[in-house]
Amino acid sequence: MYETIERLTLISIARGVGFAALGVLCLMVGFAADFVNVLRSGGIGSLLITIVLYLKAQNAFALNHKRTEVWIMLDPAERPPEDVAPRMVAEARRTILLRWSERSAWIAAAMLGLAALILMAR
């Protein structure tokens, strides 16, 4: 049961992160004339995504589990009992949000680090 919740949480959060990344990519295309600015804007955008995901992970247990996309995606027969459902959904959301936050932080560090290296080499 927890594996199903975790899988649906991954789908839900990955979709949101994908849309945010698409926005950052569009911003990066806008700076296509200067590669350093492309990397800076991508790094800052990824850093913003990291911060938002981290803050959402910190508030995962405060959100009502019945108002999450995961709960809506779950078939009524697959839903866990009410006494454990809030904890299961919140724990899955927190885990996946932190995982994506870490990935986004690495991407931001790589982009900003590469931009700094290029600037130092100039």
Side-chain angles (χ1 to χ4, degrees):
M1 183 180 306
Y2 183 76
E3 294 80 23
T4 304
I5 292 173
E6 195 171 38
R7 181 179 51 84
L8 292 175
T9 303
L10 178 63
I11 291 168
S12 172
I13 292 171
R15 181 175 35 233
V17 171
F19 282 123
L22 182 62
V24 171
L25 182 66
C26 289
L27 178 68
M28 291 170 67
V29 168
F31 288 107
D34 183 16
F35 189 61
V36 172
N37 284 336
V38 169
L39 291 172
R40 278 185 191 163
S41 64
I44 291 170
S46 295
L47 199 55
L48 287 173
I49 291 172
T50 300
I51 292 167
V52 169
L53 290 173
Y54 181 77
L55 291 174
K56 288 181 81 59
Q58 294 305 312
N59 292 325
F61 287 95
L63 184 65
N64 183 354
H65 69 285
K66 291 184 179 180
R67 298 193 59 182
T68 63
E69 184 178 10
V70 176
W71 191 258
I72 295 168
M73 289 168 40
L74 275 171
D75 188 69
E78 295 178 316
R79 292 180 179 163
E82 274 302 314
D83 57 336
V84 294
R87 178 124 179 105
M88 287 178 76
V89 172
E91 189 62 41
R93 289 188 79 245
R94 184 176 184 279
T95 302
I96 302 297
L97 283 164
L98 287 174
R99 187 181 308 161
W100 278 102
S101 178
E102 182 182 5
R103 291 175 183 170
S104 180
W106 280 110
I107 292 169
M111 285 186 188
L112 293 172
L114 188 56
L117 284 175
I118 292 172
L119 278 176
M120 285 190 287
R122 282 186 180 176

